[in-house]
Amino acid sequence: MTEIYEVIIGLFIIIGALISIVATIGAIRFPDVYTRNHAISKSTTLGVLMILLGALFYFMFFEGQFNSRIVLTMLFIFMTAPVSGHLIGRAAYNSGVKLAQQSVTDELARDRKKVKQSKSI
Amino acid sequence: MAFQMLLNFFLAFLWMFFKTSFTPAAFVVGYFWGLVILFIFRSYFPYRFYLHRVWAVIKLFFLFIKELVLSNITVLKLVLKPKVNIKPGIFALPTDLQKDWEIMLLGNLITLTPGTLTVDVSDDNKVLYIHAVHIDDVKDSVDSIKNTFEKAIMEVSR
């Protein structure tokens, strides 16, 4: 029985580590701030979540206790990760960082122009 | 909802006092019977039975987990392709949600799922501007968010 637990816990932690690695590769390969922000701030959420789940199962099966602090960590990651991602993107856009050349649409620029025009009239 | 929950807690404590046993198990049993009583008298409350809302929250949570995993896989595929041929862009998502916390929840959920990121909210809280890693068709992207997250949030707040 212990072996099965070990395999499950190991799988969780390895998948988490793999997701984090791929997120880092994405940060190198993607062209601009916004897409890099995607790769890092989100994929790491799932990566860290998987590693924490592995730790939680370890404590449950081998130490025989439900470690509530790990659950709290997950909760706080879910609360803080989107805020930081949103703020980085917003700050970049407001300070005038251009989108990558491959970008297909920018409806925010279009709508802001409209607002400016309506104000000047 | 808060009132019904408070009433339910009150009934649970009442049950504990009747049984004169102050254990967590007695509380759970009392809470269950309180729930039954509230369910019987549900038509006398101004708002709908609060378990509906709890159920909607649970559904939203599982929908979110599903979207998180699926869209993570999509982004991982995009990253690992030999040639990075992505089509990023910012699209506008007109939203029907009205309250501040609903818009906050929608924005946070969109940001948490990989591949989409809320860049800005318009001043009148009616349009969310979302940066997406890969846009095939703007209309499809808008519809997919509208049909999943917005619907589920409406279910909660209705």
Side-chain angles (χ1 to χ4, degrees):
Chain A
M1 220 38 204
T2 335
E3 280 78 20
I4 301 174
Y5 291 149
E6 275 172 4
V7 168
I8 293 173
I9 292 165
L11 263 183
F12 265 111
I13 292 180
I14 287 172
I15 290 174
L18 274 180
I19 290 173
S20 303
I21 288 176
V22 175
T24 318
I25 295 172
I28 299 171
R29 293 189 74 193
F30 278 168
D32 66 343
V33 187
Y34 307 101
T35 42
R36 282 180 180 163
N37 192 2
H38 280 293
I40 292 200
S41 72
K42 263 73 57 56
S43 297
T44 41
T45 319
L46 190 68
V48 172
L49 189 75
M50 285 285 188
I51 294 174
L52 283 174
L53 270 180
L56 183 72
F57 287 144
Y58 175 82
F59 279 113
M60 252 162 80
F61 294 140
F62 290 96
E63 312 267 319
Q65 54 156 324
F66 182 77
N67 199 327
S68 52
R69 276 174 230 166
I70 294 179
V71 180
L72 272 187
T73 317
M74 284 181 209
L75 190 75
F76 283 125
I77 283 178
F78 271 124
M79 275 160 69
T80 51
V83 177
S84 64
H86 167 68
L87 279 181
I88 291 170
R90 191 183 151 90
Y93 198 91
N94 284 342
S95 57
V97 179
K98 285 199 172 59
L99 272 76
Q101 286 174 343
Q102 298 100 306
S103 303
V104 280
T105 52
D106 187 357
E107 298 187 345
L108 177 53
R110 183 200 67 192
D111 285 6
R112 280 203 176 166
K113 216 184 259 169
K114 246 188 235 161
V115 170
K116 226 180 228 171
Q117 274 170 357
S118 65
K119 266 183 192 159
S120 64
I121 295 165
Chain B
M1 168 157 174
F3 173 69
Q4 288 184 28
M5 241 170 161
L6 202 66
L7 205 60
N8 204 343
F9 269 92
F10 173 71
L11 287 171
F13 279 112
L14 205 67
W15 176 267
M16 278 158 78
F17 275 82
F18 274 132
K19 301 285 280 185
T20 55
S21 71
F22 301 98
T23 54
F27 179 78
V28 171
V29 174
Y31 200 87
F32 172 74
W33 286 118
L35 218 56
V36 171
I37 291 169
L38 281 183
F39 184 71
I40 293 168
F41 288 100
R42 68 190 179 283
S43 54
Y44 298 100
F45 291 110
Y47 299 105
R48 71 203 166 111
F49 187 47
Y50 81 95
L51 263 202
H52 283 297
R53 192 175 270 194
V54 174
W55 177 239
V57 170
I58 294 169
K59 266 206 310 214
L60 178 65
F61 178 74
F62 278 105
L63 173 79
F64 166 66
I65 296 286
K66 189 190 118 207
E67 288 286 318
L68 182 70
V69 173
L70 283 183
S71 52
N72 245 305
I73 292 169
T74 337
V75 170
L76 295 190
K77 265 193 210 152
L78 283 177
V79 169
L80 291 177
K81 261 185 196 159
K83 265 194 101 189
V84 182
N85 52 352
I86 50 174
K87 286 189 263 173
I90 296 178
F91 65 87
L93 173 85
T95 175
D96 301 327
L97 301 175
Q98 316 227 308
K99 293 191 199 90
D100 278 350
W101 67 267
E102 293 170 349
I103 293 164
M104 181 210 72
L105 194 63
L106 182 66
N108 271 4
L109 288 179
I110 288 170
T111 309
L112 260 175
T113 46
T116 47
L117 187 143
T118 322
V119 177
D120 204 358
V121 183
S122 67
D123 292 334
D124 54 357
N125 281 353
K126 287 214 175 97
V127 186
L128 290 168
Y129 294 97
I130 294 163
H131 184 274
V133 160
H134 192 80
I135 302 179
D136 274 328
D137 182 33
V138 173
K139 210 169 161 298
D140 278 354
S141 317
V142 171
D143 281 349
S144 74
I145 290 177
K146 272 206 165 279
N147 285 334
T148 53
F149 286 137
E150 205 185 56
K151 229 187 202 169
I153 291 175
M154 271 185 174
E155 197 84 349
V156 172
S157 66
R158 192 170 45 128

